[in-house]
């Protein structure tokens, strides 16, 4: 993550926690640049406990890949910048990596995206020219294995690839990156892969937190913006349109807020982190889209699963986590858009800030107990369980805990 803390996006994707029935997907970034982190197996148990179904990692660590096996969690893996030279120079390097590091664990580990390089325009070494050749070699390897339709290839970028981002309709890519950006966008369009990027900006706190009481008007389009998130996504939308890439989807692979910072980083507080992530999740799952593309789903990944104490830079860099390394929550976070949920709770009844009560299945309940309870609710309990059937709005996440939580909620008396 860059040193700015007001707002961060990276690729454009999301995570989905607890039982959410519509809208974009919400995921979480699982970085490991820290001491005393739980083992990958323990981290995956924590992820499963909170029904997180989409996860981004930054490499292809074998122990991590093994830990995600048979969980159904969709995994985005990464090829770091340090490997771009090898991947871009020789097809055999990409073939060998896929054979040794991916194929032994797929499809038990549900890999859906491979990111090739990360924020290369911000990297100290100029590796931008290596990105597209490496992406092509990785895609060729996937084609040889018959996986190119199941695993998408992209690359993540900061908002620094834009020369203009305000007003959003004036969004434009920086011409100095045209030598690799245009071939990359052609690759993405041809292979139906998303554009992945992460903007950073310093703006008014309320505007960044989705709490602004006023609107920012784009003078060129008349579109009204109430938050920075939408404005930055639309800046990329307009930049893509200007180059006639109208079919490329945007995925946010990193966005979040730090809970602690240096004395000068006054916005880095637990309250602001809770407010930003809660409002972000509500915005995404409500499928509101952006002013330029209303109703269009955007997938987003929240940064990050854990605080990472080995990250360099300002104090905020080490405090983006939803959890401390001991797996306790940094702050309560609402993953449902309904109320403040303590991520460490085992309670089955939870009351939101508006007084609404709903149920989540106890994480200590056995599969047999959940199955029995679900079967009873959908039969003798007279609950209409059609919404959790395949292809219906609440089928995902497809697991017993989510389906049972939905059914148990229907048993509560009307508010």
């Amino acid at each position: 993550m860059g040193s700015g803390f007001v707002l961060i996006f990276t690729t454009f994707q999301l995570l989905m926690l607890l039982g959410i029935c519509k809208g974009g997907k919400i995921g979480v970034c699982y970085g490991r640049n820290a001491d005393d982190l739980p083992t990958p197996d323990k981290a995956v148990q924590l992820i499963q406990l909170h029904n997180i179904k989409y996860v981004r990692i930054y490499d292809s660590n074998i122990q991590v890949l093994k830990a995600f096996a048979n969980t159904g969690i969709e995994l985005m893996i990464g090829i770091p910048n340090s490997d771009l030279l090898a991947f871009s120079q020789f097809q055999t390097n990409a073939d060998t990596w896929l054979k040794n590091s991916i194929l032994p664990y797929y499809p038990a580990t549900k890999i859906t995206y491979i990111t090739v390089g990360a924020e290369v325009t911000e990297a100290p070494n100029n590796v931008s020219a290596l990105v597209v050749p490496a992406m092509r070699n990785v895609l060729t390897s996937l084609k040889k294995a018959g996986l190119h339709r199941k695993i998408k290839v992209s690359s993540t970028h900061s908002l620094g690839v834009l020369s203009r981002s305000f007003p959003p309709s004036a969004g434009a890519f920086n011409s100095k990156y045209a030598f690799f950006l245009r071939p990359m966008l052609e690759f993405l369009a041809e292979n139906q892969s998303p554009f992945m990027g992460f903007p950073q900006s310093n703006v008014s706190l309320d505007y960044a937190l989705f709490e602004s009481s006023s609107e920012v008007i784009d003078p060129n389009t008349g579109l009204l913006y109430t938050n920075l998130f939408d404005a930055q996504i639309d800046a990329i939308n307009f930049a893509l349109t200007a180059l006639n890439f109208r079919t490329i989807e945007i995925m946010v692979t990193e966005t979040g807020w730090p809970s602690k910072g240096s004395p000068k980083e006054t916005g880095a507080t637990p309250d602001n982190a809770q407010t930003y992530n809660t409002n972000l999740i509500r915005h995404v799952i409500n499928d509101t889209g952006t002013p330029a593309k209303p109703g269009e789903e955007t997938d987003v990944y929240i940064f990050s699963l854990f605080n990472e104490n080995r990250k360099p830079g300002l104090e905020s860099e080490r405090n983006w986590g939803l959890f401390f390394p001991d797996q306790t929550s940094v702050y309560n976070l609402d993953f449902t858009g309904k109320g403040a949920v303590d991520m460490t709770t085992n309670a089955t009844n939870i009351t939101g800030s508006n007084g609404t009560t709903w149920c989540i299945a106890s994480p200590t309940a056995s599969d047999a107990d959940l199955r029995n309870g679900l079967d009873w609710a959908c039969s003798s309990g007279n609950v209409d369980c059609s919404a959790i059937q395949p292809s219906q709005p609440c089928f995902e996440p497809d697991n017993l805990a989510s389906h049972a939580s939905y059914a148990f909620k229907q048993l509560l008396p009307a508010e």
Side-chain angles (χ1 to χ4, degrees):
M1 303 290 283
S3 59
F5 69 84
V6 168
L7 190 61
I8 296 236
F9 309 106
T10 290
T11 305
F12 274 67
Q13 260 204 350
L14 249 179
L15 81 84
M16 203 162 178
L17 307 181
L18 299 176
I20 296 172
C21 302
K22 63 178 181 178
K25 300 169 186 172
I26 297 187
V28 68
C29 301
Y30 171 24
R32 306 190 310 281
N33 193 7
D35 299 311
D36 301 321
L37 287 181
T39 64
D41 286 339
K42 292 290 186 182
V44 170
Q45 289 176 13
L46 180 68
I47 289 168
Q48 289 180 297
L49 177 63
H50 298 289
N51 271 339
I52 299 170
K53 304 301 293 183
Y54 307 90
V55 173
R56 179 191 178 194
I57 63 173
Y58 296 83
D59 55 18
S60 55
N61 180 277
I62 291 175
Q63 295 306 314
V64 175
L65 294 184
K66 287 181 177 178
F68 280 96
N70 303 311
T71 62
I73 294 168
E74 295 189 15
L75 199 62
M76 178 188 297
I77 67 172
I79 296 172
N81 292 345
S82 57
D83 290 341
L84 289 179
L85 180 61
F87 276 75
S88 65
Q89 282 187 324
F90 301 106
Q91 179 64 54
T92 53
N93 289 337
D95 293 345
T96 300
W97 172 78
L98 189 73
K99 178 182 178 182
N100 295 337
S101 299
I102 304 302
L103 295 183
Y105 313 106
Y106 182 91
T109 298
K110 195 174 181 181
I111 299 166
T112 54
Y113 289 97
I114 297 174
T115 62
V116 181
E119 306 157 49
V120 292
T121 59
E122 310 293 326
N125 299 320
N126 187 5
V127 293
S128 300
L130 306 178
V131 173
V132 176
M135 291 171 70
R136 288 174 177 154
N137 285 344
V138 171
L139 178 63
T140 297
S141 297
L142 289 170
K143 286 181 176 178
K144 291 178 180 179
L147 296 177
H148 60 292
R149 300 189 186 281
K150 296 181 180 179
I151 301 176
K152 296 295 183 180
V153 178
S154 190
S155 181
T156 68
H157 300 281
S158 75
L159 200 64
V161 297
L162 297 183
S163 59
R164 294 191 305 272
S165 61
F166 185 83
S169 60
F173 288 107
N174 195 319
S175 59
K176 72 179 181 180
Y177 301 130
F179 71 96
F180 89 93
L181 271 177
R182 181 171 284 279
M184 187 195 74
L185 295 174
E186 290 171 349
F187 175 97
L188 298 180
E190 180 181 350
N191 295 286
Q192 298 180 323
S193 293
F195 177 84
M196 302 180 171
F198 87 74
Q200 292 174 230
S201 295
N202 292 303
V203 296
S204 72
L205 189 63
D206 287 348
Y207 189 59
L209 291 173
F210 298 85
E211 298 275 289
S212 178
S213 58
S214 59
E215 298 170 324
V216 175
I217 302 174
D218 186 316
N220 300 324
T221 62
L223 294 174
L224 304 178
Y225 290 86
T226 59
N227 63 81
L228 181 61
F229 182 89
D230 285 349
Q232 292 184 323
I233 291 180
D234 273 353
I236 297 175
N237 275 321
F238 280 106
L240 290 169
T241 299
L243 295 180
N244 204 30
F245 292 102
R246 301 174 184 274
T247 61
I248 296 176
E249 295 180 355
I250 297 173
M251 178 182 290
V252 179
T253 53
E254 237 173 67
T255 185
W257 202 285
S259 60
K260 182 180 179 182
S262 62
K264 292 184 178 180
E265 297 177 291
T266 57
T269 68
D271 284 347
N272 286 341
Q274 180 187 52
T275 297
Y276 175 75
N277 284 324
T278 296
N279 288 338
L280 170 74
I281 291 170
R282 182 181 297 119
H283 187 67
V284 170
I285 68 174
N286 285 344
D287 197 20
T288 52
T290 66
K293 293 194 173 183
E296 184 164 307
E297 296 178 0
T298 302
D299 292 346
V300 179
Y301 285 81
I302 293 178
F303 186 89
S304 179
L305 186 62
F306 296 110
N307 280 343
E308 298 176 75
N309 69 327
R310 293 208 305 258
K311 293 180 74 71
L314 297 173
E315 181 67 18
S316 61
E317 290 296 318
R318 294 175 285 281
N319 290 280
W320 290 83
L322 303 177
F323 297 92
F324 294 108
D326 66 2
Q327 303 182 60
T328 58
S329 58
V330 176
Y331 50 86
N332 294 345
L333 182 60
D334 171 16
F335 288 116
T336 68
K338 297 179 180 178
V341 178
D342 185 342
M343 291 188 291
T344 62
T345 185
N346 287 333
T348 54
N349 289 338
I350 298 176
T351 300
S353 57
N354 61 356
T356 300
T357 301
W358 69 97
C359 285
I360 60 170
S362 170
T364 61
S366 68
D367 284 354
D369 288 339
L370 290 177
R371 171 56 64 190
N372 290 336
L374 179 61
D375 289 345
W376 180 88
C378 296
S379 55
S380 301
N382 294 319
V383 169
D384 181 1
C385 293
S386 58
I388 54 176
Q389 301 307 308
S391 302
Q392 296 305 304
C394 292
F395 179 67
E396 296 288 349
D398 179 17
N399 58 62
L400 268 176
S402 176
H403 291 176
S405 295
Y406 173 89
F408 299 162
K409 167 64 175 77
Q410 314 311 310
L411 293 170
L412 291 175
E415 300 280 338

